[in-house]
């Protein structure tokens, strides 16, 4: 039985020829991401911004979202977000913190429940205050920073310093573009989004380490080959594996987007974006960085000799 191949064998695509295009392109995207983050900002969920979430289930079996949105305009609690999730009967209402403290928030919750009427069962009411949301922001940021520092230390000892610098630049590139993606698409940024960012970091580093390991292997084998040609050979060697991995992960995440419901929607969509960004950065950002950092084959240790040859020499 012939195996399924998403990429032809023995490809010779000149990836490094496009480094003069990929770097300006990524620089423009990074600048746009920073501008979007500073000007538009993130669409923080109640986990970070504070507010109230009310989960409802329609007694009739189907929630009328249009009627709920019309009723939300007369609740006098500010902007109310009405979203369906899961079954057709399930719906969530979200609104922000009310001026006046906890007492005002409780009054707002009672007003919303009264406006909804008897056609819905209130399954859950969740209130997140600004203090809790501030702690979540600090904890999420600290988790991302610590993970990046830990990865930097690992790569510094695992590879040559040029490899570590290239991997960190590619990882920061992925994080920056992911933040810009959240700001542009207005996806809700909540605690699952922090999990998505950390997962993207792990996926990006996995792809980067696979490429770097093959580059180091080729440098030990072809010590007189020019660096750009050697990187092209290495990337083409791992291309079938990279495409197969990205495709299988994409199919799983696409199923989560379609059938996973509202709770993990932002996580799944962000991860799909992260797959493409991580694959792109490992090839067009990290790998060309080795050329600009002046990595040469003589900087990489020689390949270990086969055990049989060592035994023959010692004999």
């Amino acid at each position: 039985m012939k195996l399924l191949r998403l990429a032809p064998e023995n490809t010779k695509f000149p990836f490094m020829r496009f480094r003069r295009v990929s770097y300006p392109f990524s620089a423009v995207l990074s600048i746009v991401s920073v501008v979007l983050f500073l000007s538009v900002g993130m669409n923080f969920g109640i986990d970070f911004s504070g507010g109230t979430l009310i989960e409802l289930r329609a007694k009739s079996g189907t929630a009328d979202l249009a009627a709920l949105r019309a009723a939300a305009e007369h609740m006098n609690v500010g902007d109310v977000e009405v979203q369906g999730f899961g079954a057709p009967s399930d719906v969530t209402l979200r609104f922000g913190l009310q001026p006046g403290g906890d007492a005002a928030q409780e009054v707002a919750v009672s007003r919303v429940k009264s406006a909804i009427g008897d056609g819905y069962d209130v399954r859950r009411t969740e209130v997140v205050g600004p203090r809790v949301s501030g702690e979540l922001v600090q904890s999420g940021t600290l988790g991302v920073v610590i993970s990046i520092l830990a990865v930097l230390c690992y790569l510094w000892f695992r590879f040559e310093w040029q490899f570590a610098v290239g991997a960190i630049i590619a990882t920061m590139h992925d994080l920056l573009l992911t933040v810009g993606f959240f700001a542009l698409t207005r996806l809700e940024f909540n605690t699952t989004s922090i999990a998505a960012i950390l997962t993207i970091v792990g996926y990006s580093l996995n792809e980067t380490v696979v490429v770097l390991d093959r580059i180091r292997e080729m440098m030990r084998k072809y010590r007189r080959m020019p660096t750009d040609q050697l990187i092209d050979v290495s990337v083409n060697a791992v291309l079938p594996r990279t495409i197969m991995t990205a495709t299988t992960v994409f199919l799983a995440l696409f199923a989560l987007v379609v059938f996973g419901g509202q709770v993990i929607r932002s996580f799944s969509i962000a991860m799909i974006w992260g797959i493409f960004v991580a694959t792109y950065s490992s090839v067009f950002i990290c790998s060309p960085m080795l050329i600009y950092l002046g990595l040469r084959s003589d900087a990489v240790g020689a390949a270990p000799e086969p055990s049989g040859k060592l035994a023959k020499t010692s004999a």
Side-chain angles (χ1 to χ4, degrees):
M1 181 177 179
K2 189 175 181 180
L3 297 177
L4 174 64
R5 296 187 180 277
L6 300 179
E9 294 183 2
N10 302 321
T11 56
K12 297 180 180 180
F13 190 82
F15 290 99
M16 294 304 100
R17 184 179 300 177
F18 293 91
R19 67 181 184 272
R20 296 177 179 86
V21 178
S22 63
Y23 272 83
F25 176 70
S26 295
V28 171
L29 290 182
S30 300
I31 294 173
V32 171
S33 297
V34 173
V35 172
L36 286 173
F37 177 75
L38 295 178
S39 60
V40 180
M42 310 288 279
N43 181 24
F44 289 110
I46 63 171
D47 296 336
F48 294 104
S49 62
T52 300
L53 179 146
I54 300 178
E55 183 178 322
L56 307 173
R57 171 163 290 178
K59 296 179 180 179
S60 62
T62 303
D64 190 347
L65 299 183
L68 286 174
R69 291 190 177 101
E73 297 178 357
H74 306 286
M75 293 179 182
N76 297 323
V77 294
D79 293 335
V80 180
E81 179 182 347
V82 181
Q83 290 183 337
F85 75 99
S89 60
D90 296 333
V91 62
T92 60
L93 274 69
R94 300 168 185 256
F95 56 93
L97 294 174
Q98 305 297 307
D102 294 339
Q105 199 72 17
E106 292 295 333
V107 172
V109 171
S110 300
R111 188 183 303 125
V112 171
K113 291 180 179 179
S114 299
I116 291 170
D118 299 330
Y120 294 86
D121 291 327
V122 179
R123 305 186 63 195
R124 178 168 62 101
T125 301
E126 180 181 347
V127 179
V128 179
R131 179 178 179 183
V132 175
S133 61
E135 292 175 353
L136 286 173
V137 172
Q138 295 177 3
S139 300
T141 304
L142 183 62
V144 173
V145 172
I146 291 177
S147 65
I148 292 176
L149 292 177
V151 167
L152 174 61
C153 295
Y154 166 75
L155 291 176
W156 197 278
F157 288 102
R158 179 70 173 82
F159 299 102
E160 285 70 21
W161 68 269
Q162 293 96 333
F163 289 76
V165 172
I168 292 301
I169 291 176
T171 303
M172 296 303 297
H173 165 271
D174 297 345
L175 288 176
L176 192 58
L177 294 193
T178 302
V179 170
F181 177 76
F182 272 103
L184 178 63
T185 59
R186 309 308 296 162
L187 283 175
E188 182 178 303
F189 192 85
N190 48 34
T191 51
T192 60
S193 303
I194 294 293
I197 288 178
L198 293 176
T199 308
I200 290 173
V201 169
Y203 184 88
S204 174
L205 288 170
N206 178 71
E207 290 296 316
T208 301
V209 168
V210 169
V211 175
L212 292 180
D213 193 58
R214 181 55 62 94
I215 291 175
R216 185 172 63 170
E217 178 184 340
M218 291 295 183
M219 281 187 168
R220 290 173 171 176
K221 187 176 181 180
Y222 304 105
R223 305 186 67 84
R224 295 185 178 181
M225 183 181 293
T227 305
D228 56 345
Q229 297 181 17
L230 189 143
I231 293 177
D232 279 336
V233 171
S234 303
V235 174
N236 280 284
V238 300
L239 186 61
R241 178 261 176 204
T242 299
I243 295 178
M244 181 63 72
T245 302
T247 302
T248 53
V249 176
F250 169 77
L251 292 176
L253 290 172
F254 182 75
L256 290 178
V257 172
V258 176
F259 304 107
Q262 185 65 30
V263 177
I264 60 173
R265 181 172 176 270
S266 61
F267 171 86
S268 304
I269 295 178
M271 278 300 304
I272 290 177
W273 168 259
I275 290 174
F276 293 102
V277 171
T279 304
Y280 165 81
S281 66
S282 64
V283 176
F284 293 103
I285 300 298
C286 178
S287 299
M289 184 58 62
L290 303 180
I291 300 175
Y292 294 124
L293 293 176
L295 180 67
R296 303 292 300 174
S297 297
D298 52 10
V300 180
E305 296 183 2
S307 57
K309 184 177 180 179
L310 291 176
K312 183 178 180 180
T313 303
S314 59

